[in-house]
Amino acid sequence: MLAKFKKHIKRKFPELVGKPFLLACSGGVDSIVLAHLCHHTELDFAIGHCNFQLRGEESDIDEIFVKDLAFELSKSFFSTRFETMDYIAKNKVSVQLAARELRYQWFAEVMQENHIEILMTAHQADDNLETFMINLSRGTGIDGLTGIPEKTDTVARPLLPFTRSQILEYAKVENLAWREDNSNSDTKYLRNKIRHEIVPKLKELHPTFLENFKNTQQYITGTSKLAVLYIDQIRKTVFQREDGIIRISVASVLKLEPLDAHLFALFKGYGFTEWNDVKSLLTAMSGKEVRSKTHRMVKDRDFLLLAEIKEENTKDYYISNDVGEIHTPIHLRISQVLHVKETSKNVLYVAKETLKYPLTLRKWQKGDYFYPLGMKGKKKVSKFFKDEKMDSISKEKQWLLCSGDAIVWVVGKRADERFKVVDNTCEIVKFELNT
Amino acid sequence: MLAKFKKHIKRKFPELVGKPFLLACSGGVDSIVLAHLCHHTELDFAIGHCNFQLRGEESDIDEIFVKDLAFELSKSFFSTRFETMDYIAKNKVSVQLAARELRYQWFAEVMQENHIEILMTAHQADDNLETFMINLSRGTGIDGLTGIPEKTDTVARPLLPFTRSQILEYAKVENLAWREDNSNSDTKYLRNKIRHEIVPKLKELHPTFLENFKNTQQYITGTSKLAVLYIDQIRKTVFQREDGIIRISVASVLKLEPLDAHLFALFKGYGFTEWNDVKSLLTAMSGKEVRSKTHRMVKDRDFLLLAEIKEENTKDYYISNDVGEIHTPIHLRISQVLHVKETSKNVLYVAKETLKYPLTLRKWQKGDYFYPLGMKGKKKVSKFFKDEKMDSISKEKQWLLCSGDAIVWVVGKRADERFKVVDNTCEIVKFELNT
């Protein structure tokens, strides 16, 4: 196996020869064999180990075990301990995801500090098959089936062409010691079941099963990449981005055939999972909304509006001074001026004597009305929004400048008649919105 | 199950209600249950059975069994017997493929004769999973993983949402009899192994494994369809079709990223399987060629030429008469005329007295030369082809009109000086190529 490994490094990873990298080593048979193979290939590497502290003393013994190996091979050793359970509790993620996030973040730091560009991991051929079967059983999208790549800009996985049995064989012949992880998380349980009960049966199906599977997975990965290129094109023509909101013409989406596949590919990146709801949205009434954990999509007449979910700021803010600048919740410059000069949607001049301090900045409420400048009589704010063709997300973002109960300014949109500067106005206050 | 089936028909196959269809029935449990379900749903159908005569008396008993069922349910019955082994020997296909081709062709005939538009087959949920696993083990492309569709324009498969165990349960409860196929072809062996050893383990992985698998397969199918839309666009910009040859600019292909996935998607439809050879062709010398069973692709300077493999006609053809018309191997009109009139590449005038009958039409051979009209001296035909920038496929298609050993006309391209009409020519023969 060493000869084959050396050849593989030379052919597929020439950039690793003579250049230091960081080898991620858990202490398991895969990463122990990988360390020995790299050592005998005379590659220049440091060893990194993460102690997730999930298995008490066992975790600590793993750490010492890997440290000893680094010493034996005369390699630099980096290690860290994570409060993984705390991280899980805080971020509400699975053990698996927590470990991955913590690990890759820490490796990145070590690499940066030590001017190392490449991380090497010990994934092998059976890992890909096992992950494939796990994701098949869970019903994830195609991304769960495409397999881990052999190399990216920062990660190298030179064990991927080798099978678990080849690795075990090498460890035995070379008389290597390694650590077994006897924990039994959900994923581990699945993986073990697949490894011991299903994969051996699969391998009996065809003499070159693993090789065939690898080809199939490459086809899936390739097809998936072409579909991404396709959907990127579609997104360019169908998505209009403005002010953090993506506007999507319903008519242009309805033209896409097959619709389900397009919807899934267009919107899976925004965390949606209820595809029937997403589909119904296309023909729903205005105002209807679908939410994922991170995004919301609102039907607004002929459009879908897609935006990140942000806790909308519904607090009231007070402005007690008529000169100065505020930055929260919006950026307003307030000054006293002698004349009305420039006029724009973002500038408001009001007669100071009409204002009752403190002024308030608040969001729209049902029943709000004002006296739009230049119009006779009052108008409901909701009616104003409608006439302005404002979508529901924009309405929620709209601030109102108020004096007592009265609306002075639908900020950036329309002033109120009652506060306007007239001939006998003594003092003029200028509000300038910085967008 | 009957209630669920009725609901499913009503929702997903409303076109089947009150309209006759043909139900394909092998006599196995799936199609027997399907026939009973359709009967109790009061659908209007005929029963079709194919006897492939692969299992001697067993096959004949199956046929009688299905015929009896049709009688019992008062349905029209159509059956046929195939000499399947002869078909396999003649067409060099697998048993599986032979059975499929024979079956679907015959069903189509029965349907046309009886004005039936839809064929119903008894595929169920486990079939899709089993086929998926078989193709996974064989390493087919993504097309082998996408699953059989629930409906097309002419085929309905209303059992697809039901599992094998649901179907067996219904057969037991209803006390139905069916026929077991105890043959053990390669595919059957694989399918049985998957059915009995692997699928039960897979179902243990997750309580809703089959449902999850169905979703995954839908994602794969969707992604695959998007990739097809994408590659169709690429093909439109990269493939130039002319005269049965597709010209493909090498530079434009080399721009496609990732290259492997693009090559596979662009060319798999032409039967290629040796992808490394296809890839090498891009940088190979002119004249290098890769063949599939049906197609050849030739590197020709900055292009790839893709063409169907046709047995090139290398026979010699004789023309003994100077007036008339021939259609083989090319369409030539030959007449005697008084004057040289229109000139075009496809028309040749020669002095009759220079010709030795019979004339010959033949392909180019190494060493051939001629005296191009208007030039002094002779020229090798190979040199002429090169100067004309003819690609290797066009060269193979090129006919030469000869008189004895001498070339009279590189047909449609260039005449020979020695046979031209001169001032004292008595009789003029006109050859007209119809392309």
Side-chain angles (χ1 to χ4, degrees):
Chain A
M1 184 180 179
L2 179 60
K4 210 174 153 195
F5 181 81
K6 282 184 180 175
K7 214 169 133 191
H8 182 56
I9 291 286
K10 215 168 156 185
R11 243 191 67 212
K12 284 282 188 79
F13 299 90
E15 69 280 9
L16 290 180
V17 180
K19 195 175 167 190
F21 58 88
L22 181 65
L23 191 153
C25 184
S26 67
V29 64
D30 298 334
S31 55
I32 291 295
V33 164
L34 181 61
H36 281 274
L37 288 169
C38 287
H39 180 66
H40 292 305
T41 308
E42 283 158 38
L43 299 175
D44 177 9
F45 63 99
I47 290 179
H49 176 81
C50 297
N51 183 342
F52 294 104
Q53 304 196 90
L54 289 169
R55 293 174 295 122
E57 204 190 5
E58 290 289 310
S59 294
D60 298 341
I61 301 176
D62 289 355
E63 186 182 333
I64 295 164
F65 180 83
V66 178
K67 191 178 176 182
D68 289 350
L69 173 75
F71 182 77
E72 181 196 327
L73 301 181
S74 311
K75 305 296 172 195
S76 307
F77 178 68
F78 301 95
S79 69
T80 189
R81 294 181 173 211
F82 296 116
E83 301 297 336
T84 312
M85 291 317 293
D86 291 357
Y87 185 89
I88 290 169
K90 198 174 146 197
N91 295 284
K92 295 188 183 80
V93 292
S94 66
V95 178
Q96 203 191 5
L97 200 64
R100 184 159 63 209
E101 287 178 2
L102 288 167
R103 181 168 65 226
Y104 279 102
Q105 197 187 321
W106 178 73
F107 282 139
E109 285 165 21
V110 172
M111 286 160 69
Q112 205 180 7
E113 279 164 23
N114 296 278
H115 309 289
I116 293 174
E117 286 169 24
I118 292 174
L119 176 71
M120 185 184 283
T121 72
H123 291 91
Q124 29 80 343
D126 285 79
D127 286 333
N128 263 349
L129 176 59
E130 288 162 17
T131 305
F132 182 93
M133 295 309 298
I134 287 175
N135 288 330
L136 196 65
S137 79
R138 284 182 174 160
T140 58
I142 197 165
D143 297 338
L145 307 179
T146 53
I148 202 156
E150 198 159 23
K151 85 203 265 183
T152 67
D153 287 344
T154 54
V155 185
R157 299 185 178 93
L159 275 190
L160 269 185
F162 300 92
T163 64
R164 166 161 296 111
S165 59
Q166 288 175 305
I167 290 165
L168 280 171
E169 176 69 17
Y170 180 82
K172 262 187 223 162
V173 170
E174 297 294 316
N175 209 11
L176 303 179
W178 69 87
R179 299 275 303 158
E180 293 285 359
D181 174 355
N182 295 313
S183 68
N184 220 346
S185 63
D186 273 9
T187 301
K188 261 215 94 145
Y189 166 78
L190 271 183
R191 197 172 280 278
N192 278 329
K193 199 169 165 70
I194 288 167
R195 183 175 303 169
H196 299 299
E197 298 182 18
I198 296 174
V199 169
K201 294 279 176 207
L202 290 175
K203 288 182 178 172
E204 284 169 21
L205 289 179
H206 205 285
T208 56
F209 179 85
L210 212 52
E211 188 63 24
N212 297 352
F213 166 74
K214 201 179 124 194
N215 290 336
T216 303
Q217 196 165 42
Q218 274 172 1
Y219 294 138
I220 296 177
T221 308
T223 305
S224 171
K225 282 181 184 164
L226 299 186
V228 167
L229 290 173
Y230 171 79
I231 216 71
D232 284 349
Q233 289 175 0
I234 296 286
R235 215 179 265 122
K236 261 183 214 158
T237 66
V238 172
F239 282 22
Q240 305 161 29
R241 288 163 208 275
E242 42 189 57
D243 286 345
I245 299 175
I246 299 172
R247 290 172 69 84
I248 304 149
S249 143
V250 168
S252 61
V253 171
L254 283 173
K255 267 185 228 149
L256 301 171
E257 184 63 46
L259 184 57
D260 288 354
H262 278 89
L263 287 181
F264 180 73
L266 280 173
F267 297 117
K268 69 176 170 177
Y270 303 96
F272 294 101
T273 50
E274 299 305 317
W275 296 104
N276 284 334
D277 292 353
V278 170
K279 198 173 172 181
S280 317
L281 204 60
L282 289 167
T283 49
M285 295 208 326
S286 259
K288 180 96 183 152
E289 178 172 339
V290 176
R291 282 177 176 246
S292 73
K293 273 187 191 165
T294 55
H295 284 76
R296 56 197 292 209
M297 190 145 58
V298 184
K299 176 77 184 293
D300 189 76
R301 276 151 296 185
D302 301 334
F303 290 87
L304 299 179
L305 306 174
L306 175 61
E308 220 177 309
I309 294 177
K310 284 184 196 150
E311 212 43 68
E312 264 313 327
N313 190 339
T314 53
K315 278 198 289 189
D316 289 356
Y317 289 83
Y318 297 98
I319 303 173
S320 51
N321 205 319
D322 57 4
V323 180
E325 197 168 354
I326 63 161
H327 287 88
T328 314
I330 48 177
H331 188 182
L332 273 187
R333 227 176 263 120
I334 308 157
S335 53
Q336 212 158 323
V337 295
L338 295 174
H339 307 284
V340 171
K341 264 188 201 158
E342 41 158 348
T343 55
S344 101
K345 288 220 153 191
N346 290 333
V347 175
L348 172 78
Y349 295 94
V350 292
K352 189 178 175 185
E353 51 266 43
T354 61
L355 298 177
K356 277 186 245 163
Y357 282 89
L359 304 176
T360 327
L361 275 169
R362 64 167 177 84
K363 290 288 172 71
W364 163 77
Q365 289 160 13
K366 221 179 156 178
D368 273 343
Y369 61 89
F370 73 127
Y371 291 77
L373 185 68
M375 259 184 60
K376 274 185 189 159
K378 63 184 182 182
K379 183 171 192 169
K380 281 208 165 165
V381 172
S382 58
K383 178 77 168 63
F384 171 76
F385 284 166
K386 199 174 172 190
D387 293 347
E388 289 278 298
K389 301 208 161 117
M390 279 172 69
D391 61 65
S392 41
I393 294 180
S394 303
K395 287 183 213 169
E396 288 175 24
K397 288 180 191 292
Q398 180 64 52
W399 289 96
L400 305 176
L401 178 67
C402 302
S403 169
D405 286 341
I407 293 169
V408 181
W409 194 22
V410 179
V411 179
K413 292 247 154 42
R414 190 75 169 262
D416 187 286
E417 183 72 24
R418 296 165 289 177
F419 302 91
K420 75 175 176 190
V421 174
V422 290
D423 285 350
N424 58 356
T425 297
C426 302
E427 291 180 284
I428 303 173
V429 184
K430 177 185 177 188
F431 294 84
E432 218 176 328
L433 173 69
N434 235 324
T435 53
Chain B
M1 184 178 179
L2 178 60
K4 210 174 152 195
F5 180 81
K6 281 183 180 174
K7 214 168 133 190
H8 183 57
I9 290 286
K10 216 169 156 184
R11 243 192 68 212
K12 284 284 189 77
F13 299 90
E15 69 279 9
L16 290 180
V17 180
K19 195 176 167 190
F21 58 88
L22 181 65
L23 191 153
C25 186
S26 67
V29 65
D30 298 333
S31 56
I32 291 295
V33 164
L34 181 61
H36 281 274
L37 288 170
C38 287
H39 180 65
H40 292 305
T41 308
E42 283 159 36
L43 298 175
D44 177 10
F45 63 99
I47 290 178
H49 176 82
C50 298
N51 183 342
F52 294 104
Q53 304 196 92
L54 290 170
R55 293 175 295 121
E57 203 189 7
E58 290 289 309
S59 294
D60 298 342
I61 301 176
D62 289 355
E63 185 182 331
I64 295 163
F65 181 83
V66 178
K67 190 178 176 180
D68 289 349
L69 173 75
F71 181 78
E72 180 196 328
L73 302 180
S74 312
K75 304 294 171 194
S76 308
F77 178 68
F78 301 94
S79 69
T80 189
R81 294 181 172 209
F82 296 117
E83 302 297 337
T84 312
M85 291 317 291
D86 291 356
Y87 185 88
I88 290 169
K90 196 173 147 200
N91 295 283
K92 295 186 185 78
V93 291
S94 66
V95 177
Q96 202 190 8
L97 200 64
R100 184 160 63 210
E101 287 177 3
L102 288 167
R103 181 169 66 226
Y104 279 103
Q105 197 189 320
W106 178 73
F107 282 140
E109 285 166 20
V110 172
M111 287 160 68
Q112 204 180 5
E113 280 165 23
N114 296 278
H115 309 289
I116 293 175
E117 286 170 23
I118 291 175
L119 176 70
M120 185 183 283
T121 71
H123 291 90
Q124 30 80 344
D126 286 78
D127 286 333
N128 262 349
L129 176 59
E130 288 163 16
T131 305
F132 182 93
M133 296 308 297
I134 287 175
N135 287 330
L136 196 66
S137 79
R138 285 183 174 161
T140 58
I142 197 165
D143 297 338
L145 307 179
T146 52
I148 202 156
E150 197 159 21
K151 83 203 266 185
T152 67
D153 287 344
T154 54
V155 185
R157 299 184 178 93
L159 274 191
L160 268 185
F162 300 90
T163 63
R164 166 162 296 111
S165 58
Q166 288 175 305
I167 290 165
L168 280 171
E169 176 70 17
Y170 180 83
K172 261 185 227 164
V173 169
E174 297 293 317
N175 210 10
L176 303 180
W178 69 87
R179 298 276 303 158
E180 294 284 359
D181 174 356
N182 297 313
S183 68
N184 220 346
S185 63
D186 272 9
T187 301
K188 255 209 102 154
Y189 166 78
L190 271 183
R191 197 171 280 276
N192 277 329
K193 198 169 167 68
I194 288 167
R195 183 176 302 170
H196 299 298
E197 298 182 18
I198 295 174
V199 169
K201 295 278 175 206
L202 289 175
K203 288 182 178 171
E204 285 169 21
L205 288 180
H206 206 285
T208 57
F209 180 85
L210 212 53
E211 189 62 24
N212 297 354
F213 165 74
K214 200 179 125 194
N215 290 336
T216 303
Q217 196 166 42
Q218 274 173 359
Y219 295 138
I220 296 177
T221 308
T223 305
S224 171
K225 282 180 183 164
L226 299 185
V228 167
L229 290 173
Y230 171 79
I231 216 71
D232 283 349
Q233 289 175 1
I234 297 287
R235 214 177 266 121
K236 262 182 211 159
T237 67
V238 172
F239 281 22
Q240 304 161 30
R241 287 162 208 274
E242 41 188 59
D243 285 346
I245 299 176
I246 299 172
R247 288 171 71 83
I248 304 149
S249 144
V250 168
S252 62
V253 170
L254 283 173
K255 266 186 229 148
L256 301 170
E257 182 63 44
L259 184 57
D260 288 354
H262 278 89
L263 287 180
F264 180 72
L266 281 173
F267 298 118
K268 69 176 171 178
Y270 303 97
F272 294 101
T273 51
E274 299 304 318
W275 296 104
N276 285 334
D277 292 353
V278 170
K279 199 173 173 181
S280 317
L281 204 60
L282 288 167
T283 49
M285 294 206 329
S286 258
K288 181 94 185 156
E289 178 173 338
V290 176
R291 281 176 176 246
S292 74
K293 271 187 192 163
T294 56
H295 284 76
R296 55 197 292 210
M297 188 144 60
V298 184
K299 177 76 184 291
D300 190 76
R301 276 151 295 184
D302 302 334
F303 290 88
L304 298 178
L305 307 174
L306 175 60
E308 220 178 310
I309 293 176
K310 282 184 197 152
E311 212 46 64
E312 264 313 326
N313 190 341
T314 54
K315 278 198 287 188
D316 291 355
Y317 290 83
Y318 297 96
I319 302 173
S320 51
N321 206 317
D322 57 7
V323 181
E325 197 168 355
I326 63 162
H327 288 88
T328 313
I330 49 177
H331 187 181
L332 273 186
R333 228 177 263 120
I334 307 157
S335 53
Q336 213 159 321
V337 295
L338 294 175
H339 306 286
V340 171
K341 264 189 200 159
E342 40 157 350
T343 55
S344 100
K345 287 218 154 194
N346 290 332
V347 175
L348 172 79
Y349 295 94
V350 293
K352 186 176 175 188
E353 52 265 44
T354 61
L355 299 176
K356 276 186 244 164
Y357 282 90
L359 304 177
T360 326
L361 274 169
R362 65 166 177 85
K363 290 288 171 75
W364 164 75
Q365 289 161 13
K366 220 178 157 181
D368 272 343
Y369 61 88
F370 74 125
Y371 291 76
L373 185 68
M375 259 184 61
K376 274 186 187 159
K378 63 185 181 181
K379 184 170 191 170
K380 280 206 166 167
V381 171
S382 58
K383 178 75 169 64
F384 171 76
F385 283 166
K386 199 174 172 190
D387 293 346
E388 290 276 302
K389 300 206 162 120
M390 280 171 69
D391 62 64
S392 41
I393 295 179
S394 303
K395 287 184 215 171
E396 288 176 23
K397 289 181 191 291
Q398 180 64 52
W399 288 95
L400 305 176
L401 177 68
C402 302
S403 169
D405 287 340
I407 294 169
V408 179
W409 193 21
V410 179
V411 178
K413 292 247 156 39
R414 191 72 168 264
D416 188 286
E417 182 73 25
R418 294 167 289 178
F419 301 90
K420 75 176 175 189
V421 175
V422 290
D423 286 350
N424 58 357
T425 297
C426 303
E427 291 180 283
I428 302 174
V429 184
K430 177 183 175 189
F431 293 86
E432 217 176 329
L433 173 68
N434 235 324
T435 52

